[in-house]
Amino acid sequence: MRTFSLPLALTARISPVVVLAAAGWALTSGPATTPAAEKESAPQSAGESPSGASTAAASKQYAAAPAPCGSITTATIKSLVPGAKTAGKEIPSTDTALRRTCSWNALKGYDYRWLDVSFEITESDAAAAKSYKENTAEKSGGGTVPGVGDAGYSVVNLTTEDKQQTREGVVIIQASNALVTVTYNGSDFESKKAPSTDEINKGAIKAAKEAVAALESGQKA
């Protein structure tokens, strides 16, 4: 077997803890800014009970992020990331009740695949919808994913570094006050080519559907 070197971008990808811990949640606006915005838009009237805010908070659909490494079936992991440890690796988070991410990656022969699934719980449906809109606006060229959550978006991009192609798909789903983000990419280091757009897009959407189903059912790892 001849030796080969990984492009810098993919070398970084193989160190998921370092990369995602630093940048994995840069896409989302996060729930930290939501309470102030809601307070400004809906001031309490003189006759309004202070229990209204707590009632609204208690009634939100999802109170905590599910265990991400249990959100994708073993069969799907084996199919999308051949050779990966099916248990996955959860990325450290500052608040696991609100943000959780699991990653799977493997190099089998010359084929490299990476999959990660992230959950973010916001304070309200409106906050999630705002974050979803901002995130999808930054990723032009994609299309809607119907029938999953309240809103879904998928985009696939091809990059080339040192003549090595990498194709990456990102799927973002809003489900009530939660956001689910799936990233799936791959490269072939022998041919220098990337998997087809169809393969990456379908794989990312399949994982996203399973992740949303796990969120809705309260599935735990």
Side-chain angles (χ1 to χ4, degrees):
M1 178 181 294
R2 70 172 183 271
T3 60
F4 56 91
S5 60
L6 305 185
L8 291 177
L10 288 177
T11 301
R13 271 293 195 183
I14 299 177
S15 302
V17 174
V18 176
V19 176
L20 288 181
W25 289 103
L27 288 177
T28 59
S29 61
T33 60
T34 303
E38 291 181 344
K39 184 176 181 181
E40 291 177 3
S41 62
Q44 183 177 327
S45 63
E48 184 179 356
S49 169
S51 64
S54 60
T55 300
S59 64
K60 65 183 181 182
Q61 183 82 16
Y62 303 109
C69 294
S71 65
I72 307 299
T73 65
T74 297
T76 295
I77 294 167
K78 288 181 176 180
S79 172
L80 298 183
V81 194
K85 294 181 179 180
T86 56
K89 183 176 182 64
E90 184 161 358
I91 306 305
S93 171
T94 56
D95 190 340
T96 54
L98 300 180
R99 302 178 179 90
R100 298 183 75 173
T101 299
C102 188
S103 292
W104 298 263
N105 62 84
L107 179 65
K108 187 173 183 180
Y110 292 101
D111 290 326
Y112 178 72
R113 295 292 185 276
W114 165 286
L115 172 70
D116 69 46
V117 176
S118 299
F119 294 92
E120 180 179 9
I121 305 301
T122 71
E123 287 295 321
S124 66
D125 290 14
K130 179 182 178 182
S131 185
Y132 171 86
K133 184 177 180 180
E134 292 172 349
N135 295 344
T136 56
E138 294 175 357
K139 299 180 178 297
S140 61
T144 60
V145 179
V148 187
D150 298 311
Y153 181 81
S154 175
V155 63
V156 178
N157 288 306
L158 177 68
T159 59
T160 303
E161 183 177 334
D162 297 331
K163 299 182 179 180
Q164 173 65 61
Q165 293 182 345
T166 300
R167 185 165 271 116
E168 178 172 278
V170 178
V171 175
I172 303 172
I173 305 293
Q174 181 213 342
S176 297
N177 64 304
L179 290 173
V180 179
T181 303
V182 169
T183 303
Y184 180 50
N185 70 38
S187 299
D188 185 321
F189 294 119
E190 183 173 35
S191 68
K192 298 290 186 179
K193 301 296 183 181
S196 69
T197 297
D198 191 58
E199 177 184 342
I200 293 297
N201 191 49
K202 286 183 176 179
I205 291 174
K206 179 177 177 61
K209 288 180 176 180
E210 290 189 8
V212 172
L215 173 73
E216 292 173 344
S217 67
Q219 177 179 325
K220 298 299 180 181

PDB file of all heavy atoms in Angstrom, residues 29-57:
ATOM      1  N   SER A  29     -26.855  31.044  17.077  1.00  0.00           N
ATOM      2  CA  SER A  29     -26.872  32.240  17.891  1.00  0.00           C
ATOM      3  C   SER A  29     -26.904  31.912  19.363  1.00  0.00           C
ATOM      4  O   SER A  29     -26.506  32.703  20.192  1.00  0.00           O
ATOM      5  CB  SER A  29     -28.092  33.097  17.526  1.00  0.00           C
ATOM      6  OG  SER A  29     -29.273  32.381  17.760  1.00  0.00           O
ATOM      7  N   GLY A  30     -27.427  30.700  19.699  1.00  0.00           N
ATOM      8  CA  GLY A  30     -27.422  30.255  21.086  1.00  0.00           C
ATOM      9  C   GLY A  30     -28.551  30.874  21.883  1.00  0.00           C
ATOM     10  O   GLY A  30     -29.062  31.946  21.561  1.00  0.00           O
ATOM     11  N   PRO A  31     -28.923  30.202  22.965  1.00  0.00           N
ATOM     12  CA  PRO A  31     -30.039  30.673  23.769  1.00  0.00           C
ATOM     13  C   PRO A  31     -29.700  31.828  24.680  1.00  0.00           C
ATOM     14  O   PRO A  31     -30.572  32.428  25.259  1.00  0.00           O
ATOM     15  CB  PRO A  31     -30.417  29.432  24.594  1.00  0.00           C
ATOM     16  CG  PRO A  31     -29.131  28.680  24.714  1.00  0.00           C
ATOM     17  CD  PRO A  31     -28.399  28.924  23.409  1.00  0.00           C
ATOM     18  N   ALA A  32     -28.390  32.163  24.820  1.00  0.00           N
ATOM     19  CA  ALA A  32     -28.004  33.171  25.794  1.00  0.00           C
ATOM     20  C   ALA A  32     -28.609  34.531  25.503  1.00  0.00           C
ATOM     21  O   ALA A  32     -28.875  35.308  26.398  1.00  0.00           O
ATOM     22  CB  ALA A  32     -26.481  33.286  25.843  1.00  0.00           C
ATOM     23  N   THR A  33     -28.844  34.853  24.219  1.00  0.00           N
ATOM     24  CA  THR A  33     -29.367  36.174  23.870  1.00  0.00           C
ATOM     25  C   THR A  33     -30.883  36.223  23.838  1.00  0.00           C
ATOM     26  O   THR A  33     -31.459  37.283  23.685  1.00  0.00           O
ATOM     27  CB  THR A  33     -28.849  36.601  22.483  1.00  0.00           C
ATOM     28  OG1 THR A  33     -29.282  35.634  21.522  1.00  0.00           O
ATOM     29  CG2 THR A  33     -27.329  36.670  22.479  1.00  0.00           C
ATOM     30  N   THR A  34     -31.537  35.080  23.999  1.00  0.00           N
ATOM     31  CA  THR A  34     -32.979  35.021  23.820  1.00  0.00           C
ATOM     32  C   THR A  34     -33.786  35.705  24.912  1.00  0.00           C
ATOM     33  O   THR A  34     -34.711  36.454  24.622  1.00  0.00           O
ATOM     34  CB  THR A  34     -33.432  33.558  23.692  1.00  0.00           C
ATOM     35  OG1 THR A  34     -32.730  32.976  22.613  1.00  0.00           O
ATOM     36  CG2 THR A  34     -34.923  33.459  23.446  1.00  0.00           C
ATOM     37  N   PRO A  35     -33.482  35.463  26.227  1.00  0.00           N
ATOM     38  CA  PRO A  35     -34.351  36.042  27.254  1.00  0.00           C
ATOM     39  C   PRO A  35     -34.469  37.552  27.154  1.00  0.00           C
ATOM     40  O   PRO A  35     -35.550  38.104  27.290  1.00  0.00           O
ATOM     41  CB  PRO A  35     -33.651  35.617  28.551  1.00  0.00           C
ATOM     42  CG  PRO A  35     -32.932  34.364  28.178  1.00  0.00           C
ATOM     43  CD  PRO A  35     -32.471  34.600  26.778  1.00  0.00           C
ATOM     44  N   ALA A  36     -33.347  38.259  26.905  1.00  0.00           N
ATOM     45  CA  ALA A  36     -33.408  39.714  26.818  1.00  0.00           C
ATOM     46  C   ALA A  36     -34.289  40.158  25.672  1.00  0.00           C
ATOM     47  O   ALA A  36     -35.077  41.089  25.788  1.00  0.00           O
ATOM     48  CB  ALA A  36     -31.997  40.288  26.661  1.00  0.00           C
ATOM     49  N   ALA A  37     -34.154  39.484  24.531  1.00  0.00           N
ATOM     50  CA  ALA A  37     -34.954  39.849  23.361  1.00  0.00           C
ATOM     51  C   ALA A  37     -36.432  39.650  23.627  1.00  0.00           C
ATOM     52  O   ALA A  37     -37.271  40.469  23.257  1.00  0.00           O
ATOM     53  CB  ALA A  37     -34.510  39.019  22.158  1.00  0.00           C
ATOM     54  N   GLU A  38     -36.767  38.555  24.290  1.00  0.00           N
ATOM     55  CA  GLU A  38     -38.167  38.286  24.575  1.00  0.00           C
ATOM     56  C   GLU A  38     -38.720  39.289  25.574  1.00  0.00           C
ATOM     57  O   GLU A  38     -39.870  39.700  25.505  1.00  0.00           O
ATOM     58  CB  GLU A  38     -38.326  36.862  25.102  1.00  0.00           C
ATOM     59  CG  GLU A  38     -38.062  35.802  24.060  1.00  0.00           C
ATOM     60  CD  GLU A  38     -38.244  34.406  24.593  1.00  0.00           C
ATOM     61  OE1 GLU A  38     -38.274  34.236  25.819  1.00  0.00           O
ATOM     62  OE2 GLU A  38     -38.346  33.489  23.769  1.00  0.00           O
ATOM     63  N   LYS A  39     -37.858  39.681  26.525  1.00  0.00           N
ATOM     64  CA  LYS A  39     -38.313  40.633  27.532  1.00  0.00           C
ATOM     65  C   LYS A  39     -38.648  41.983  26.901  1.00  0.00           C
ATOM     66  O   LYS A  39     -39.618  42.634  27.254  1.00  0.00           O
ATOM     67  CB  LYS A  39     -37.222  40.800  28.593  1.00  0.00           C
ATOM     68  CG  LYS A  39     -37.634  41.703  29.755  1.00  0.00           C
ATOM     69  CD  LYS A  39     -36.533  41.733  30.804  1.00  0.00           C
ATOM     70  CE  LYS A  39     -36.922  42.617  31.986  1.00  0.00           C
ATOM     71  NZ  LYS A  39     -35.858  42.663  33.001  1.00  0.00           N
ATOM     72  N   GLU A  40     -37.841  42.396  25.933  1.00  0.00           N
ATOM     73  CA  GLU A  40     -38.076  43.668  25.266  1.00  0.00           C
ATOM     74  C   GLU A  40     -39.337  43.642  24.418  1.00  0.00           C
ATOM     75  O   GLU A  40     -40.077  44.610  24.355  1.00  0.00           O
ATOM     76  CB  GLU A  40     -36.881  44.025  24.381  1.00  0.00           C
ATOM     77  CG  GLU A  40     -35.644  44.362  25.192  1.00  0.00           C
ATOM     78  CD  GLU A  40     -34.460  44.639  24.291  1.00  0.00           C
ATOM     79  OE1 GLU A  40     -34.661  44.616  23.058  1.00  0.00           O
ATOM     80  OE2 GLU A  40     -33.360  44.861  24.786  1.00  0.00           O
ATOM     81  N   SER A  41     -39.579  42.515  23.738  1.00  0.00           N
ATOM     82  CA  SER A  41     -40.707  42.446  22.814  1.00  0.00           C
ATOM     83  C   SER A  41     -42.034  42.195  23.519  1.00  0.00           C
ATOM     84  O   SER A  41     -43.085  42.432  22.960  1.00  0.00           O
ATOM     85  CB  SER A  41     -40.462  41.332  21.787  1.00  0.00           C
ATOM     86  OG  SER A  41     -40.369  40.093  22.445  1.00  0.00           O
ATOM     87  N   ALA A  42     -41.980  41.683  24.763  1.00  0.00           N
ATOM     88  CA  ALA A  42     -43.220  41.365  25.464  1.00  0.00           C
ATOM     89  C   ALA A  42     -43.147  41.844  26.907  1.00  0.00           C
ATOM     90  O   ALA A  42     -43.045  41.046  27.835  1.00  0.00           O
ATOM     91  CB  ALA A  42     -43.494  39.859  25.418  1.00  0.00           C
ATOM     92  N   PRO A  43     -43.156  43.158  27.160  1.00  0.00           N
ATOM     93  CA  PRO A  43     -43.098  43.681  28.530  1.00  0.00           C
ATOM     94  C   PRO A  43     -44.340  43.277  29.303  1.00  0.00           C
ATOM     95  O   PRO A  43     -45.431  43.170  28.750  1.00  0.00           O
ATOM     96  CB  PRO A  43     -43.018  45.192  28.324  1.00  0.00           C
ATOM     97  CG  PRO A  43     -43.638  45.422  26.986  1.00  0.00           C
ATOM     98  CD  PRO A  43     -43.259  44.234  26.159  1.00  0.00           C
ATOM     99  N   GLN A  44     -44.164  43.075  30.605  1.00  0.00           N
ATOM    100  CA  GLN A  44     -45.275  42.645  31.454  1.00  0.00           C
ATOM    101  C   GLN A  44     -46.171  43.830  31.773  1.00  0.00           C
ATOM    102  O   GLN A  44     -45.707  44.901  32.174  1.00  0.00           O
ATOM    103  CB  GLN A  44     -44.709  42.043  32.745  1.00  0.00           C
ATOM    104  CG  GLN A  44     -45.783  41.493  33.666  1.00  0.00           C
ATOM    105  CD  GLN A  44     -45.160  40.845  34.886  1.00  0.00           C
ATOM    106  OE1 GLN A  44     -44.085  40.273  34.797  1.00  0.00           O
ATOM    107  NE2 GLN A  44     -45.825  40.946  36.018  1.00  0.00           N
ATOM    108  N   SER A  45     -47.447  43.643  31.591  1.00  0.00           N
ATOM    109  CA  SER A  45     -48.393  44.708  31.900  1.00  0.00           C
ATOM    110  C   SER A  45     -48.659  44.742  33.396  1.00  0.00           C
ATOM    111  O   SER A  45     -48.340  43.800  34.128  1.00  0.00           O
ATOM    112  CB  SER A  45     -49.702  44.479  31.141  1.00  0.00           C
ATOM    113  OG  SER A  45     -50.305  43.279  31.561  1.00  0.00           O
ATOM    114  N   ALA A  46     -49.286  45.802  33.843  1.00  0.00           N
ATOM    115  CA  ALA A  46     -49.514  45.977  35.279  1.00  0.00           C
ATOM    116  C   ALA A  46     -50.368  44.863  35.848  1.00  0.00           C
ATOM    117  O   ALA A  46     -50.189  44.433  36.983  1.00  0.00           O
ATOM    118  CB  ALA A  46     -50.173  47.343  35.527  1.00  0.00           C
ATOM    119  N   GLY A  47     -51.310  44.361  35.062  1.00  0.00           N
ATOM    120  CA  GLY A  47     -52.211  43.354  35.587  1.00  0.00           C
ATOM    121  C   GLY A  47     -51.817  41.938  35.269  1.00  0.00           C
ATOM    122  O   GLY A  47     -52.574  41.007  35.555  1.00  0.00           O
ATOM    123  N   GLU A  48     -50.648  41.753  34.677  1.00  0.00           N
ATOM    124  CA  GLU A  48     -50.244  40.419  34.256  1.00  0.00           C
ATOM    125  C   GLU A  48     -49.565  39.679  35.386  1.00  0.00           C
ATOM    126  O   GLU A  48     -48.755  40.245  36.115  1.00  0.00           O
ATOM    127  CB  GLU A  48     -49.297  40.532  33.075  1.00  0.00           C
ATOM    128  CG  GLU A  48     -48.891  39.181  32.497  1.00  0.00           C
ATOM    129  CD  GLU A  48     -47.967  39.354  31.313  1.00  0.00           C
ATOM    130  OE1 GLU A  48     -47.715  40.509  30.916  1.00  0.00           O
ATOM    131  OE2 GLU A  48     -47.501  38.335  30.795  1.00  0.00           O
ATOM    132  N   SER A  49     -49.873  38.429  35.535  1.00  0.00           N
ATOM    133  CA  SER A  49     -49.269  37.619  36.589  1.00  0.00           C
ATOM    134  C   SER A  49     -47.837  37.283  36.250  1.00  0.00           C
ATOM    135  O   SER A  49     -47.526  36.908  35.124  1.00  0.00           O
ATOM    136  CB  SER A  49     -50.065  36.315  36.765  1.00  0.00           C
ATOM    137  OG  SER A  49     -49.356  35.428  37.603  1.00  0.00           O
ATOM    138  N   PRO A  50     -46.885  37.399  37.226  1.00  0.00           N
ATOM    139  CA  PRO A  50     -45.490  37.057  36.957  1.00  0.00           C
ATOM    140  C   PRO A  50     -45.293  35.585  36.662  1.00  0.00           C
ATOM    141  O   PRO A  50     -44.241  35.164  36.215  1.00  0.00           O
ATOM    142  CB  PRO A  50     -44.774  37.468  38.251  1.00  0.00           C
ATOM    143  CG  PRO A  50     -45.840  37.426  39.303  1.00  0.00           C
ATOM    144  CD  PRO A  50     -47.096  37.880  38.588  1.00  0.00           C
ATOM    145  N   SER A  51     -46.313  34.777  36.912  1.00  0.00           N
ATOM    146  CA  SER A  51     -46.185  33.345  36.640  1.00  0.00           C
ATOM    147  C   SER A  51     -46.257  33.040  35.153  1.00  0.00           C
ATOM    148  O   SER A  51     -45.953  31.927  34.720  1.00  0.00           O
ATOM    149  CB  SER A  51     -47.289  32.561  37.367  1.00  0.00           C
ATOM    150  OG  SER A  51     -48.558  32.928  36.856  1.00  0.00           O
ATOM    151  N   GLY A  52     -46.644  34.030  34.319  1.00  0.00           N
ATOM    152  CA  GLY A  52     -46.776  33.803  32.879  1.00  0.00           C
ATOM    153  C   GLY A  52     -45.489  33.367  32.239  1.00  0.00           C
ATOM    154  O   GLY A  52     -45.459  32.451  31.419  1.00  0.00           O
ATOM    155  N   ALA A  53     -44.366  34.024  32.596  1.00  0.00           N
ATOM    156  CA  ALA A  53     -43.073  33.682  31.990  1.00  0.00           C
ATOM    157  C   ALA A  53     -42.663  32.273  32.343  1.00  0.00           C
ATOM    158  O   ALA A  53     -42.190  31.511  31.513  1.00  0.00           O
ATOM    159  CB  ALA A  53     -42.007  34.681  32.442  1.00  0.00           C
ATOM    160  N   SER A  54     -42.837  31.901  33.630  1.00  0.00           N
ATOM    161  CA  SER A  54     -42.426  30.565  34.038  1.00  0.00           C
ATOM    162  C   SER A  54     -43.299  29.505  33.395  1.00  0.00           C
ATOM    163  O   SER A  54     -42.838  28.413  33.065  1.00  0.00           O
ATOM    164  CB  SER A  54     -42.485  30.441  35.568  1.00  0.00           C
ATOM    165  OG  SER A  54     -43.800  30.673  36.036  1.00  0.00           O
ATOM    166  N   THR A  55     -44.584  29.816  33.185  1.00  0.00           N
ATOM    167  CA  THR A  55     -45.476  28.861  32.534  1.00  0.00           C
ATOM    168  C   THR A  55     -45.048  28.626  31.095  1.00  0.00           C
ATOM    169  O   THR A  55     -45.018  27.495  30.607  1.00  0.00           O
ATOM    170  CB  THR A  55     -46.928  29.379  32.549  1.00  0.00           C
ATOM    171  OG1 THR A  55     -47.336  29.568  33.899  1.00  0.00           O
ATOM    172  CG2 THR A  55     -47.856  28.402  31.851  1.00  0.00           C
ATOM    173  N   ALA A  56     -44.657  29.729  30.397  1.00  0.00           N
ATOM    174  CA  ALA A  56     -44.216  29.605  29.011  1.00  0.00           C
ATOM    175  C   ALA A  56     -42.951  28.783  28.925  1.00  0.00           C
ATOM    176  O   ALA A  56     -42.781  27.948  28.043  1.00  0.00           O
ATOM    177  CB  ALA A  56     -43.992  30.992  28.416  1.00  0.00           C
ATOM    178  N   ALA A  57     -42.015  29.016  29.897  1.00  0.00           N
ATOM    179  CA  ALA A  57     -40.753  28.279  29.880  1.00  0.00           C
ATOM    180  C   ALA A  57     -40.986  26.796  30.122  1.00  0.00           C
ATOM    181  O   ALA A  57     -40.362  25.942  29.522  1.00  0.00           O
ATOM    182  CB  ALA A  57     -39.805  28.850  30.928  1.00  0.00           C
TER     183      ALA A  57
END
